[in-house]
Amino acid sequence: MESLQGVVERLTYHSEESGYTVARLKAPRTSELITITGNFATIQAGQTLQLQGIWKDHPKFGAQFQVTQYRETKPATITGIEKYLGSGLIKGVGYVTAKRIVAHFGLETLDIIENQIERLVEVPGIAHKRVKLIQTAWVTQKAIKDVMLFLQSHGVSTTYAVKIYKQYGDESIATVTHNPYQLATDVYGIGFVTADAIARNLGIAPSSQFRYRAGILHMLGEASEDGHCFLPHDELIGQVVKRLDIEDHHPNPDSVEFLIHLMVQERELVKTETPIAGLEQFGYYAPPFFAAEYKLAERLQQLLRQPLKVDVNRVQQWIERFIEKTGTPLSEQQRHAVEMAASQRVLILTGGPGCGKTFTTRTIVALWKAMGKSIALASPTGRAAQRLSEMTGQEAKTVHRLLEFDPKTMKFKRDVGHPIPAEAIVVDEASMLDLFLANSLMKAVSPDAQLLLVGDTDQLPSVGPGSVLQDLITSEQVPVVRLTQVFRQAQASQIVRNAHRINEGQFPQLEPVSNAPQSDCLWLGASEPEHGVQAIRELMGDLIPQQGFDPASDVQVLCPMTRGEVGTRNLNMVLQQLINPPSPNKSEIIRAGMRLRVGDRVMQKVNDYNREVFNGDLGMIAAVDVEEQEVVVQFGERSVSYDYADLNEITLAWAVTIHKSQGSEYPVVILPIYMQHYLMLSRNLIYTGLTRAKKLAIVVGPQKAIALAVKQVKDRQRYTLLDQRLRVK
């Protein structure tokens, strides 16, 4: 073991997740830089470090100092202080500001900041407001360094350490020490697995009730990611036992069952009122899921019971005048839908592509206007809301914005006591409504209002829990009009024809890419995944520009999964390099192994009510500010700023999963379908992906994988009782 001291000259590599670092160190009395490697909670260029470790000879990179322990000392030189301050360590101080501060105070700079920070106003260009910002950042970084060192020593990445500190502040260490499983509930990105690893490092027993309770709730949470609202008794116990089983501890199912009953008594779980039909056993909800499902059914029943008086003859006369005025006839199914919309409190309009859902919805909105009703239009995603607005000529909002989320209270302003100020409400892409969003919506629908839900039940179900639209239809308690007739103009589109073929279990009729001008639905049979990646590169570089499309703005690659060579992770790196390569004019940052660059297309991964950006929203990186430690993303006309610590909320979106594309349409869609994704391949997956394309769809992959996707009907029943609750009088 040897000691080494020096100034960090630059970082070659630093993982936010593990803290593993490769850096170059300038040691006293040596002209060459020394390569150091090791795990660092925080490390910045300009830091002066006292290191302990051993020398190793790397076969490719030569001598390296492997660090086992380190501590930071204050920089001793003017250059060191400049680098230290300008490294991005303190929000509000970049390289230029650091240089000015050090030029004024010299070697006393750090003592001044520590003890007389108000003197920074002596530096030209630094006002009192900036001093306050720097002071806050300095105090925070000192406190957070203690927390991060503690957490790093217990297996927590630096990224999560920052989020833990933002959540708990000075109580961070106390909270983590008492019950690390609380992190899985309170901190986005930290799940049960991470919390469990921290708990083991802290010496918390694997039989701890904290662990068992967290494990039970975790399995219900994981089940909700598969769309379930609850789990049956046997399935819940089996999954918990499996998840909690480790080398030195094997849970007893009886102990898990006892704790489940205890949690029911303490209202941490809710037991189904009766055994689940067909399973002859009870199920268990996390309380928020039960409350949402119960209340959603109750409010829908209340709305359906409200009578609505309408002059049917006047409605029919209006329809005749509308047809005459527009010159566009309505099919019998469409006419029936318009008449029903005039007389029903709640109506579901469903059907596949080319069957006239858009025109029918537009006609219903026109009828409601003629009836003098105030109308609100909404959709779960921003893109779908924009499309709804374009087709009706009236403003449409996302459901979240329609409900007016209040970041101060973390609740929607629109609810039972403060309903949406509209007599008629249209929600498009209703298949995307999950249990919680549907419940929040129904809370805000006035008892005197009408509700039209428009959606395609053959698409993928909602990403969140429940299968609300399908349950409403299955219950047979809500009026439904299903459009099935494909109109002649839509039949000209191979995309539309193939979507219906896929729904019927038939292999789509795909034209080779060489027939590009003659078909809007093409196929490129690159046999292996690595060939698929190269094929997508070539499509972006040649065919797509030749067809008059811009690869940077018109094309969306949609993948079944994130993993694999033709998954979103790899394709995003490939497409980023191709469409938005590095440039001296483009700032960039690396966080958690992901490179974000000005000009990149990104997607929001979670609902962020404070910033008013929601899961699935697409934007573009407009700026990377190293001094302010912020990334600015342009979402339409809105600019949204992210602290570095919050960058795990966004991800590159040159390629996204088909699930994340729901509710969106793109001029061109490239759809890689390969056997390496066989677990995810299904009929509604390829149907959803294909129908996202407005003008051109290109399927890349072997026919075997496409055939498997068309064949597999994976409508695995989600555990939900909404349809049964609606049938209870």
Side-chain angles (χ1 to χ4, degrees):
M1 193 73 68
E2 295 187 39
S3 294
L4 184 66
Q5 182 168 334
V7 177
V8 179
E9 189 71 20
R10 65 176 181 268
L11 300 183
T12 304
Y13 174 79
H14 177 68
S15 167
E16 290 291 329
E17 289 300 311
S18 65
Y20 179 74
T21 302
V22 179
R24 300 283 276 167
L25 190 84
K26 178 70 174 70
R29 296 180 297 281
T30 58
S31 56
E32 292 189 6
L33 298 179
I34 297 168
T35 300
I36 62 170
T37 64
N39 290 75
F40 292 79
T42 57
I43 186 167
Q44 303 280 350
Q47 280 181 297
T48 300
L49 299 177
Q50 181 73 46
L51 309 169
Q52 279 193 303
I54 55 174
W55 287 98
K56 289 272 188 174
D57 191 44
H58 192 281
K60 184 176 179 181
F61 301 111
Q64 295 183 343
F65 191 76
Q66 291 192 352
V67 179
T68 54
Q69 286 185 304
Y70 73 94
R71 66 182 179 86
E72 183 183 0
T73 60
K74 288 183 180 178
T77 66
I78 294 288
T79 305
I81 295 171
E82 278 181 4
K83 282 192 173 182
Y84 182 66
L85 283 182
S87 63
L89 180 74
I90 306 168
K91 188 171 182 177
V93 179
Y95 178 72
V96 175
T97 307
K99 205 166 180 63
R100 286 206 302 264
I101 294 171
V102 176
H104 190 82
F105 294 114
L107 292 172
E108 296 180 9
T109 297
L110 297 181
D111 286 330
I112 294 291
I113 293 175
E114 184 78 54
N115 302 308
Q116 296 175 278
I117 199 164
E118 66 280 357
R119 287 189 58 194
L120 288 183
V121 294
E122 298 172 16
V123 179
I126 297 184
H128 286 282
K129 186 178 179 183
R130 175 61 70 90
V131 172
K132 285 286 183 189
L133 181 68
I134 294 171
Q135 183 176 29
T136 302
W138 180 259
V139 171
T140 301
Q141 70 88 20
K142 280 183 64 184
I144 202 170
K145 196 167 286 185
D146 292 339
V147 173
M148 289 173 81
L149 286 170
F150 170 81
L151 294 172
Q152 184 77 7
S153 68
H154 292 95
V156 183
S157 74
T158 52
T159 300
Y160 292 150
V162 172
K163 296 183 89 66
I164 290 168
Y165 185 81
K166 287 177 77 173
Q167 177 72 30
Y168 302 119
D170 294 338
E171 299 298 315
S172 298
I173 293 175
T175 303
V176 172
T177 305
H178 174 63
N179 179 14
Y181 295 100
Q182 192 65 35
L183 300 177
T185 303
D186 296 343
V187 182
Y188 170 71
I190 295 185
F192 173 80
V193 174
T194 303
D196 200 30
I198 296 168
R200 296 303 306 275
N201 283 330
L202 287 166
I204 292 176
S207 58
S208 158
Q209 265 207 26
F210 282 140
R211 182 170 186 259
Y212 273 49
R213 286 172 184 263
I216 290 165
L217 293 174
H218 171 66
M219 293 321 301
L220 288 173
E222 274 206 345
S224 75
E225 291 175 12
D226 289 331
H228 301 304
C229 298
F230 66 89
L231 279 179
H233 174 276
D234 293 353
E235 200 166 327
L236 177 57
I237 290 175
Q239 289 189 21
V240 171
V241 167
K242 185 178 178 181
R243 176 49 61 93
L244 295 183
D245 188 84
I246 52 179
E247 189 177 343
D248 56 351
H249 179 72
H250 307 291
N252 184 328
D254 292 339
S255 300
V256 176
E257 183 169 22
F258 171 78
L259 196 53
I260 286 172
H261 291 318
L262 190 62
M263 290 173 76
V264 170
Q265 291 172 17
E266 295 172 359
R267 299 186 180 180
E268 289 182 52
L269 293 178
V270 178
K271 189 176 180 181
T272 55
E273 298 93 320
T274 58
I276 303 151
L279 293 177
E280 309 307 324
Q281 56 182 283
F282 288 91
Y284 297 93
Y285 291 85
F289 290 78
F290 175 80
E293 190 179 86
Y294 185 87
K295 287 293 184 182
L296 173 57
E298 185 178 66
R299 291 187 181 97
L300 268 166
Q301 287 175 327
Q302 288 170 355
L303 192 60
L304 288 164
R305 282 196 291 264
Q306 297 294 323
L308 192 64
K309 292 184 179 180
V310 175
D311 187 332
V312 177
N313 289 330
R314 286 190 67 186
V315 170
Q316 290 175 339
Q317 289 168 12
W318 180 89
I319 292 173
E320 294 298 336
R321 290 196 303 272
F322 182 82
I323 292 171
E324 189 177 334
K325 181 181 174 182
T326 60
T328 307
L330 293 170
S331 69
E332 284 301 313
Q333 292 173 337
Q334 288 178 309
R335 189 182 185 110
H336 179 54
V338 176
E339 290 175 357
M340 292 279 281
S343 59
Q344 298 296 325
R345 284 286 177 199
V346 184
L347 176 67
I348 294 172
L349 177 64
T350 186
C355 294
K357 288 199 306 295
T358 297
F359 186 69
T360 307
T361 303
R362 190 189 305 157
T363 306
I364 290 169
V365 170
L367 170 62
W368 280 345
K369 277 184 182 176
M371 295 172 77
K373 292 180 180 290
S374 54
I375 302 167
L377 308 176
S379 185
T381 69
R383 286 195 162 216
Q386 184 181 348
R387 209 169 62 244
L388 181 60
S389 180
E390 289 166 357
M391 79 183 191
T392 58
Q394 183 172 323
E395 182 192 17
K397 301 177 179 179
T398 62
V399 176
H400 292 89
R401 290 196 175 98
L402 180 69
L403 298 177
E404 298 178 26
F405 187 81
D406 182 0
K408 292 179 182 176
T409 61
M410 296 301 287
K411 293 179 180 178
F412 291 114
K413 291 180 182 177
R414 297 293 174 185
D415 56 17
V416 175
H418 190 214
I420 298 164
E423 296 165 286
I425 300 166
V426 179
V427 178
D428 196 14
E429 298 289 352
S431 62
M432 295 180 67
L433 289 175
D434 66 20
L435 176 67
F436 291 105
L437 191 56
N439 181 46
S440 296
L441 174 68
M442 286 310 304
K443 277 186 194 176
V445 175
S446 166
D448 300 323
Q450 291 178 264
L451 177 63
L452 173 66
L453 299 173
V454 184
D456 183 351
T457 54
D458 292 318
Q459 287 186 28
L460 289 166
S462 61
V463 175
S467 46
V468 174
L469 187 65
Q470 190 63 59
D471 282 351
L472 298 190
I473 294 171
T474 306
S475 74
E476 299 183 343
Q477 303 303 301
V478 181
V480 179
V481 177
R482 186 183 294 274
L483 304 178
T484 57
Q485 179 185 335
V486 181
F487 286 89
R488 187 178 300 164
Q489 61 269 34
Q491 288 176 357
S493 167
Q494 197 76 355
I495 294 172
V496 171
R497 293 209 302 273
N498 278 329
H500 288 280
R501 286 181 66 84
I502 288 168
N503 253 350
E504 292 162 8
Q506 299 175 35
F507 193 89
Q509 293 176 339
L510 302 168
E511 296 287 337
V513 290
S514 55
N515 293 351
Q518 296 154 32
S519 175
D520 62 358
C521 199
L522 306 174
W523 171 60
L524 203 165
S527 57
E528 299 297 327
E530 59 266 29
H531 301 154
V533 174
Q534 183 58 31
I536 291 169
R537 270 203 200 98
E538 291 171 4
L539 288 170
M540 288 290 197
D542 299 325
L543 179 83
I544 284 165
Q546 287 169 16
Q547 298 301 309
F549 297 109
D550 181 355
S553 57
D554 294 335
V555 184
Q556 185 63 64
V557 177
L558 301 180
C559 308
M561 292 177 72
T562 57
R563 295 191 295 273
E565 286 172 283
V566 282
T568 58
R569 287 178 192 158
N570 183 53
L571 284 175
N572 267 317
M573 290 190 288
V574 170
L575 294 170
Q576 181 189 49
Q577 188 66 22
L578 184 70
I579 300 170
N580 188 36
S583 158
N585 304 322
K586 296 176 185 174
S587 301
E588 61 178 56
I589 182 178
I590 299 175
R591 276 293 181 274
M594 177 176 62
R595 188 182 301 273
L596 296 172
R597 181 179 297 139
V598 169
D600 275 334
R601 187 190 303 165
V602 292
M603 175 180 277
Q604 177 75 13
K605 295 195 293 184
V606 293
N607 290 334
D608 188 327
Y609 298 105
N610 289 303
R611 293 185 178 91
E612 285 194 73
V613 283
F614 304 104
N615 190 354
D617 284 357
L618 283 176
M620 189 178 78
I621 295 180
V624 175
D625 191 327
V626 177
E627 192 155 300
E628 294 293 336
Q629 295 189 24
E630 287 180 343
V631 172
V632 180
V633 179
Q634 195 72 29
F635 289 98
E637 296 178 0
R638 295 180 64 243
S639 290
V640 178
S641 294
Y642 293 81
D643 287 338
Y644 282 4
D646 296 326
L647 289 179
N648 61 345
E649 289 189 9
I650 61 174
T651 188
L652 286 171
W654 300 113
V656 301
T657 61
I658 296 171
H659 277 88
K660 289 284 189 182
S661 74
Q662 285 177 266
S664 297
E665 281 186 346
Y666 316 95
V668 181
V669 163
I670 297 177
L671 205 59
I673 303 291
Y674 282 86
M675 292 302 291
Q676 69 174 211
H677 296 150
Y678 76 95
L679 286 173
M680 291 293 294
L681 296 182
S682 67
R683 187 177 298 174
N684 58 7
L685 185 93
I686 192 171
Y687 172 85
T688 301
L690 195 69
T691 54
R692 300 309 90 205
K694 287 197 289 187
K695 297 180 180 178
L696 179 63
I698 307 173
V699 182
V700 178
Q703 290 189 349
K704 180 183 178 183
I706 299 167
L708 178 67
V710 173
K711 182 182 176 183
Q712 290 201 112
V713 181
K714 287 192 175 178
D715 292 334
R716 190 163 78 87
Q717 186 63 41
R718 293 184 168 197
Y719 292 126
T720 158
L721 296 178
L722 178 61
D723 58 339
Q724 294 180 39
R725 294 187 193 284
L726 285 167
R727 286 195 288 267
V728 175
K729 300 298 182 186

